[in-house]
């Protein structure tokens, strides 16, 4: 999984937004998500995708890395490796490194109409403290004409924009996790199994 922390108001972000849209979001073996942060909004353009919870999530990753600062763009790979700035080769290298190791948790989603069935199965014992099952909705594509701020006059194509992020609960992994959730509307659905405390991603799946 790749999380891109970005903002419509950040002039350094469009290359990373384009890389995610044109390359990462097209891959079947990568769950690439755009999380828009709100700390650029004061520059003159309010990002209508931004949510303070995404800023909080980025700050949590920074704390886990021993850093007091957060930046855009930033990509986090599988909840572990952080790449600041637009460094596509480094991101691809990290994806390849993580892909070489099997996921500790297999996640399957079956979406039928307004209902999605979720199943998560631990392939090995989970780390002490277990995991958190996270429920995500995201818009596959949006285009925005930006009128003010650092990107004034640009029309930017965004992909896999997170519109909702919540928790379905803690999970020990001792038994399969099975649930059904209501998923009305056109946004895609993703389930992320992550070690508690913004730790490593143990497994993920998505459905459109």
């Amino acid at each position: 999984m790749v999380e891109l922390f970005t903002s419509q108001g950040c002039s350094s972000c469009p290359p990373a937004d384009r890389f995610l849209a044109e390359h990462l979001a097209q891959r079947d073996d990568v769950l690439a998500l755009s999380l828009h942060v709100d700390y650029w909004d004061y520059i003159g353009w309010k990002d209508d995708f931004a949510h303070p919870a995404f800023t909080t999530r980025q700050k949590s990753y920074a704390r886990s890395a021993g850093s007091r600062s957060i930046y855009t763009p930033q990509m986090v790979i599988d909840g572990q490796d952080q790449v600041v700035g637009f460094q596509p080769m480094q991101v691809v290298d990290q994806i390849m490194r993580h892909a070489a190791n099997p996921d500790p948790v297999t996640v399957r989603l079956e979406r039928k109409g307004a209902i999605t069935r979720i199943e998560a199965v631990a392939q090995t014992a989970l780390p002490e403290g277990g995991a958190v099952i996270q429920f995500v909705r995201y818009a596959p594509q949006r285009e925005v004409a930006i009128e003010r701020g650092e990107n004034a006059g640009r029309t930017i194509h965004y992909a896999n924009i997170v519109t909702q992020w919540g928790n379905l609960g803690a999970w020990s992994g001792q038994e399969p996790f099975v649930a059904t959730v209501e998923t009305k509307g056109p946004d895609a659905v993703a389930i992320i199994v992550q070690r508690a405390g913004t730790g490593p991603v143990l497994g993920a799946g998505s459905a459109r």
Side-chain angles (χ1 to χ4, degrees):
M1 185 178 87
V2 178
E3 298 169 71
L4 168 62
F5 293 94
T6 185
S7 172
Q8 294 174 14
C10 165
S11 62
S12 300
C13 289
D17 298 319
R18 185 166 54 252
F19 176 64
L20 184 141
E22 295 180 357
H23 299 281
L24 301 183
Q26 307 302 319
R27 293 179 57 160
D28 293 332
D29 61 338
V30 174
L31 174 60
L33 300 173
S34 296
L35 290 88
H36 286 242
V37 296
D38 64 349
Y39 51 85
W40 279 94
D41 287 359
Y42 75 97
I43 299 295
W45 177 256
K46 189 177 187 304
D47 187 329
D48 55 354
F49 302 149
H51 196 287
F54 304 154
T55 300
T56 299
R57 184 171 176 84
Q58 189 184 22
K59 288 180 177 178
S60 180
Y61 277 130
R63 285 194 298 271
S64 69
S67 174
R68 296 183 178 181
S69 302
I70 54 177
Y71 306 90
T72 53
Q74 180 186 35
M75 289 189 178
V76 178
I77 296 89
D78 271 352
Q80 300 174 63
D81 294 298
Q82 303 181 22
V83 179
V84 176
F86 179 54
Q87 303 184 58
M89 291 308 299
Q90 187 175 344
V91 172
V92 170
D93 288 346
Q94 294 288 3
I95 290 172
M96 291 177 62
R97 185 173 69 83
H98 284 275
N101 302 310
D103 290 336
V105 175
T106 300
V107 178
R108 298 184 180 89
L109 280 74
E110 184 180 9
R111 188 175 185 183
K112 291 185 176 180
I115 299 295
T116 298
R117 183 181 184 275
I118 303 158
E119 182 182 39
V121 179
Q123 304 302 319
T124 61
L126 297 189
E128 185 177 351
V132 175
I133 309 286
Q134 299 170 98
F135 171 75
V136 177
R137 300 295 303 274
Y138 62 95
Q141 295 187 42
R142 296 276 179 84
E143 194 169 80
V144 179
I146 299 174
E147 298 174 4
R148 295 181 300 279
E150 291 191 356
N151 288 317
R154 305 181 71 169
T155 297
I156 301 177
H157 175 76
Y158 295 100
N160 293 6
I161 309 108
V162 176
T163 56
Q164 179 183 351
W165 195 300
N167 289 342
L168 297 181
W171 180 52
S172 68
Q174 294 179 358
E175 300 290 339
F177 176 90
V178 178
T180 57
V181 292
E182 187 175 284
T183 50
K184 291 181 180 178
D187 286 359
V189 184
I191 293 295
I192 298 159
V193 182
Q194 188 166 18
R195 188 171 179 177
T198 325
V201 172
L202 307 175
S206 64
R208 295 193 176 186

